[in-house]
């Protein structure tokens, strides 16, 4: 929106009745030559050299979102501690400090977004590792969450200055400006609209996400080889057809995997740390990204003709072992999984948490 032009200057006094003449007794103000409207119900206007006022308002929006994240993350940590009740706090803390994926899952990446870099976040000295749940909550807030918010805060100036260049050129309204800043910080699912269409960080969803991510890390597969320490386990049940060649007799080997047909039946989830309460907490996220979850994956194949096979992957989706009865003699586990999960590039598919048995 271009600046409103000032009235043309003349050497004469405006005549009575002239629209340019001041009203007697009224206060008048001089319109700025290069106006910059503030964020609000107005628009930012294009200027040759924007002042610092709108930039300050953009920074306020960004820092408000980061502060909202901080509070939600702290509550998510407290929720996780309450769910697991008791665990090896020092070992868990050391693992979380070494990999901040759990703390970064809600942030957007790419494009003009804030730069989310695990290597760029300086956790620094982690102090004395916590020995109990309350100490863990404070320790995680002081050392890990603070490291994340400091990392994000250091980028606010760059991101808001870049955003201001776009805004001044296009003249966006307040709600759209807020949304643009939030979209450079958070993934869409962690942004909500308040009454009136005002976007803000969805602190309840971020809290649930941090809660779930911490429970996943508490149940990660941490030992190799099997048996594995404190594993969460995802069981995927399939029905298989077409795997037996024509004229099959008991003891024959299975046919080419390209002829196999698979039907997904159900999924099950178990977690040693936190048990049923941990599973219920994960269900709030609606979808389990199975391939990204460091749990053991147990794939169970059943045949209508009585055959049965079990394929096991570790927390990094590496094929670990298989077992089968006579109906799956000669099975090639990795080849079967590659064929069955072709649409997901050979990786375990995501699971709708509402479908869990």
């Amino acid at each position: 929106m271009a600046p409103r032009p000032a009235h043309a200057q003349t050497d004469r006094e405006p005549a009575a009745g002239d629209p340019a003449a001041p009203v007697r007794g009224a206060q008048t103000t001089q319109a700025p030559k290069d106006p910059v409207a503030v964020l609000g119900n107005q628009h930012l206007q294009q200027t040759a050299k924007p002042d610092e006022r709108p930039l300050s308002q953009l920074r306020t929006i960004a820092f408000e979102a980061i502060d909202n994240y901080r509070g939600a993350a702290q509550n998510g940590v407290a929720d996780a501690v309450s769910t697991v009740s008791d665990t090896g706090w020092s070992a868990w803390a050391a693992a979380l400090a070494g990999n901040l994926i759990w703390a970064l899952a809600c942030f957007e990446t790419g494009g003009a977004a804030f730069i989310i870099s695990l290597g760029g976040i300086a956790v620094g000295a982690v102090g004395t590792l916590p020995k109990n749940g309350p100490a863990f909550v404070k320790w995680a807030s002081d050392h890990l969450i603070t490291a994340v918010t400091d990392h994000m805060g250091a980028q606010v100036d760059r991101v808001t200055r870049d955003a201001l260049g776009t805004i001044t050129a296009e003249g966006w309204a307040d709600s759209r400006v807020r949304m643009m800043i939030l979209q450079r910080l958070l993934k869409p699912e962690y942004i909500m609209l308040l009454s009136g269409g005002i976007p803000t960080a969805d602190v309840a969803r971020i809290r649930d996400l941090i809660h779930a991510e911490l429970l996943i890390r508490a149940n990660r597969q941490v030992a190799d080889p099997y048996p594995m320490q404190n594993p969460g386990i995802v069981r995927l049940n399939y029905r298989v057809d077409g795997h037996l060649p024509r004229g099959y007799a008991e003891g024959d080997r299975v046919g080419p995997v390209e002829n196999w047909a698979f039907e997904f039946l159900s999924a099950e989830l178990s977690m040693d740390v936190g048990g049923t309460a941990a599973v219920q907490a994960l269900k709030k996220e609606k979808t389990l990204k199975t391939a990204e979850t460091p749990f053991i994956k147990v794939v169970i194949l059943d045949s209508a003709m009585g055959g049965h096979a079990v394929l096991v992957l570790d927390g990094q989706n590496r094929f670990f072992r298989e077992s089968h009865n006579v109906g799956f003699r000669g099975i090639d586990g990795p080849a079967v999984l590659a064929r069955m999960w072709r649409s997901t590039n050979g990786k375990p598919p995501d699971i709708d948490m509402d479908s869990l048995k």
Side-chain angles (χ1 to χ4, degrees):
M1 179 175 175
R4 183 177 177 181
H7 289 291
Q9 300 293 320
T10 66
D11 294 331
R12 66 176 178 83
E13 290 290 325
D18 190 323
V23 177
R24 291 187 180 275
Q27 293 182 346
T28 60
T29 58
Q30 179 74 31
K33 294 182 178 180
D34 296 307
V36 180
V38 300
L39 288 173
N41 295 324
Q42 304 178 54
H43 291 172
L44 283 171
Q45 298 183 20
Q46 185 173 5
T47 62
K49 185 177 180 180
D51 65 20
E52 291 295 304
R53 183 170 55 181
L55 185 61
S56 175
Q57 291 170 312
L58 294 183
R59 289 171 177 156
T60 297
I61 295 171
F63 278 117
E64 179 185 83
I66 293 171
D67 284 343
N68 285 337
Y69 163 81
R70 177 193 293 275
Q74 289 170 339
N75 286 329
V77 171
D79 292 341
V81 168
S82 176
T83 300
V84 303
S85 297
D86 188 23
T87 188
W89 298 108
S90 293
W92 194 25
L96 295 177
N99 189 337
L100 291 174
I101 289 177
W102 61 273
L104 303 175
C106 66
F107 292 119
E108 187 58 273
T109 58
F114 285 70
I115 299 172
I116 310 299
S117 169
L118 289 174
I121 300 178
V123 173
V126 297
T128 302
L129 293 175
K131 304 297 183 184
N132 55 54
F136 181 90
V137 174
K138 185 178 187 306
W139 174 88
S141 176
D142 291 347
H143 296 284
L144 308 187
I145 295 172
T146 294
V148 173
T149 55
D150 286 351
H151 177 73
M152 307 307 290
Q155 300 180 64
V156 165
D157 185 70
R158 174 186 61 80
V159 172
T160 52
R161 286 186 181 277
D162 177 71
L164 183 62
T166 302
I167 293 165
T168 54
E170 299 185 14
W172 290 0
D174 179 46
S175 60
R176 195 171 181 186
V177 169
R178 286 180 171 275
M179 180 62 81
M180 185 179 71
I181 296 296
L182 289 171
Q183 286 176 336
R184 295 184 181 203
L185 178 68
L186 299 169
K187 292 178 181 177
E189 58 266 38
Y190 302 106
I191 300 172
M192 65 179 291
L193 296 180
L194 300 175
S195 58
I198 300 173
T200 188
D202 190 337
V203 293
R205 284 220 61 195
I206 295 172
R207 175 178 181 167
D208 288 343
L209 174 68
I210 296 293
H211 184 190
E213 286 289 328
L214 285 169
L215 294 176
I216 288 173
R217 303 304 149 188
N219 284 273
R220 71 200 182 286
Q221 178 231 315
V222 296
D224 192 23
Y226 197 90
M228 305 172 189
Q229 179 184 355
N230 290 342
I233 300 176
V234 181
R235 293 177 177 83
L236 304 169
N237 302 298
Y238 292 84
R239 179 178 291 116
V240 183
D241 196 12
H243 60 298
L244 298 178
R246 290 185 178 181
Y248 169 80
E250 185 173 337
D252 287 353
R253 298 173 67 86
V254 294
V257 70
E258 287 299 319
N259 297 334
W260 295 29
F262 305 92
E263 178 188 0
F264 176 74
L265 300 177
S266 63
E268 304 169 62
L269 177 63
S270 62
M271 300 169 70
D272 284 2
V273 179
T276 301
V279 173
Q280 292 302 315
L282 259 63
K283 282 188 174 183
K284 292 182 179 181
E285 283 303 300
K286 302 303 182 183
T287 301
L288 179 69
K289 297 185 179 300
T290 315
E292 299 174 15
T293 302
F295 291 0
I296 300 169
K297 288 85 178 180
V298 178
V299 180
I300 301 172
L301 307 176
D302 282 309
S303 166
M305 299 184 66
H308 181 85
V310 178
L311 311 177
V312 181
L313 288 75
D314 69 7
Q316 299 181 53
N317 305 314
R318 299 173 299 191
F319 185 78
F320 183 73
R321 71 175 186 181
E322 67 184 44
S323 62
H324 56 84
N325 65 10
V326 67
F328 281 90
R329 184 169 180 265
I331 185 174
D332 181 345
V336 169
L337 294 175
R339 169 70 178 83
M340 183 168 64
W341 294 334
R342 181 178 293 172
S343 64
T344 53
N345 296 317
K347 298 295 180 62
D350 293 349
I351 297 172
D352 179 354
M353 297 297 277
D354 289 335
S355 70
L356 286 179
K357 290 179 63 176

